Amino acid sequence: MASLQGNSSLNIKNLLNKTQIDLSPDEFTSLLSLSLGRSLEYIYKNPEKKLSANNVRAFRSLVKKRLAKWPLAYLRGYKEFYGLKFLVSKHTLVPRPESELLIEQAINYLKKSQPENPIIIDLGTGSGCLILSIAKNYNGSAQYWASDFSSSALKVAHTNARHLGLNKKIKFIKSNLLKNIPPLKLDIIVANLPYLNPKQMAEPSISQEPKSALLAGTDGLKYYKKLLETLPEFLNNKYLILLEIDPDQKDKLADTIKKYLPDAKVEFIPDLTGYIRIAKITT
Ligand SMILES: C[S@@+](CC[C@H](N)C(=O)[O-])C[C@H]1O[C@@H](n2cnc3c(N)ncnc32)[C@H](O)[C@@H]1O
């Protein structure tokens, strides 16, 4: 990258031809489009466009961040999830495509069971992508709650709710798991709480995302165990609980569910790649 510094005679074509072994050509082009504030189409259609020293500097700074494993979504400031656009910041996890399975399951249940004015809660809401996607895609009446213990994440979730025209529909609450949740009888609980163990945290691609959104004790089950212990008194007679998990946690989690919800039915649902991703708990 040193050769790009202060080189104002570059045009788009020359810049894209420069080799950058650690980034794919697509990423390279996306970063250029981002640094110029222009669409990808513009980049492809204007290969001769001259770049100013400021353009090159802005591009160089983005490449540096990307090489330091900043997610592209943080550099852009948003991520698409379930067909919607969610603002993200360094305080929120970047929504993952596999979490869309939680939305499909929740919507299917709502359509099939048609509970009357159900109370739906998203625990560890982060950017708000789960609860907002459900609220945007379900037409029936429902009460929506979302909580997180991070005030900064809740601010982002609230902004996303406003952008999606849902801020009047969702109650956001700062809470460590269920601690500050009023004595509701919940019909649907969705949670993508942290579930990684310390070894999994060494993965470079997640190094810039908040540790507090990912790490959950030595076995990755710290939060789900605590949640299941306190959840029974909050449950309506008929309920659906959807927890996003790691495939290796299946057996241990099944034991914990049995301990606190002995009468519940448990299913483990795989994602599109065939890995178990969701624990679905119902009455
Ligand atoms: C894996 S992220 C999921 C974010 C979002 N729901 C998603 O699916 O993209 C976990 C979220 O849980 C929050 N969190 C972690 N521990 C928590 C706790 N004890 N109580 C409430 N929220 C917690 C984190 O701040 C983070 O926003």
Side-chain angles (χ1 to χ4, degrees), residues 65 69 113 118 123 144 149 156 185 195 225 250:
K65 286 179 172 168
K69 302 295 177 197
S113 309
L123 300 169
Y144 298 95
F149 71 174
V156 175
K185 283 295 176 196
Y195 59 76
K225 281 180 181 162
K250 176 177 170 276

Side-chain angles (χ1 to χ4, degrees), residues 130-144:
L130 302 181
I131 197 76
L132 296 171
S133 299
I134 296 172
K136 198 76 189 167
N137 285 281
Y138 180 59
N139 294 329
S141 77
Q143 298 176 52
Y144 298 95

Side-chain angles (χ1 to χ4, degrees), residues 81 91-96 99 102 122-131 147-150 153 175-178 191-195 210 212-215 223 226 244:
F81 179 84
H91 304 292
T92 64
L93 190 88
V94 176
R96 303 295 204 267
S99 305
L102 286 159
D122 171 17
L123 300 169
T125 197
S127 63
C129 62
L130 302 181
I131 197 76
S147 78
D148 204 292
F149 71 174
S150 156
S175 177
N176 183 350
L177 299 176
L178 296 163
N192 179 14
L193 285 164
Y195 59 76
S212 57
L214 293 162
L215 179 64
Y223 296 109
K226 269 195 195 156
E244 181 172 319

Side-chain angles (χ1 to χ4, degrees), residues 72-217:
L72 202 52
Y74 283 178
L75 302 179
R76 280 197 184 116
Y78 69 90
K79 173 82 182 172
E80 286 96 6
F81 179 84
Y82 213 75
L84 300 169
K85 189 171 165 180
F86 290 92
L87 299 182
V88 292
S89 77
K90 62 178 180 181
H91 304 292
T92 64
L93 190 88
V94 176
R96 303 295 204 267
E98 56 269 28
S99 305
E100 294 186 344
L101 197 53
L102 286 159
I103 313 303
E104 277 166 27
Q105 288 290 327
I107 300 279
N108 284 348
Y109 177 88
L110 282 163
K111 287 187 177 160
K112 224 170 140 188
S113 309
Q114 302 198 325
E116 201 181 318
N117 197 24
I119 305 183
I120 306 173
I121 194 163
D122 171 17
L123 300 169
T125 197
S127 63
C129 62
L130 302 181
I131 197 76
L132 296 171
S133 299
I134 296 172
K136 198 76 189 167
N137 285 281
Y138 180 59
N139 294 329
S141 77
Q143 298 176 52
Y144 298 95
W145 291 74
S147 78
D148 204 292
F149 71 174
S150 156
S151 310
S152 312
L154 280 172
K155 264 189 204 156
V156 175
H158 206 262
T159 305
N160 280 322
R162 235 186 17 253
H163 289 178
L164 292 166
L166 292 168
N167 49 322
K168 293 209 174 93
K169 250 188 169 177
I170 323 265
K171 288 194 183 80
F172 291 98
I173 183 163
K174 186 176 172 180
S175 177
N176 183 350
L177 299 176
L178 296 163
K179 226 174 197 162
N180 299 338
I181 307 297
L184 300 166
K185 283 295 176 196
L186 304 168
D187 297 272
I188 299 183
I189 298 100
V190 292
N192 179 14
L193 285 164
Y195 59 76
L196 299 189
N197 62 40
K199 204 171 150 207
Q200 291 169 312
M201 290 298 293
E203 164 58 41
S205 66
I206 57 172
S207 61
Q208 301 292 345
E209 290 181 272
K211 202 172 157 190
S212 57
L214 293 162
L215 179 64

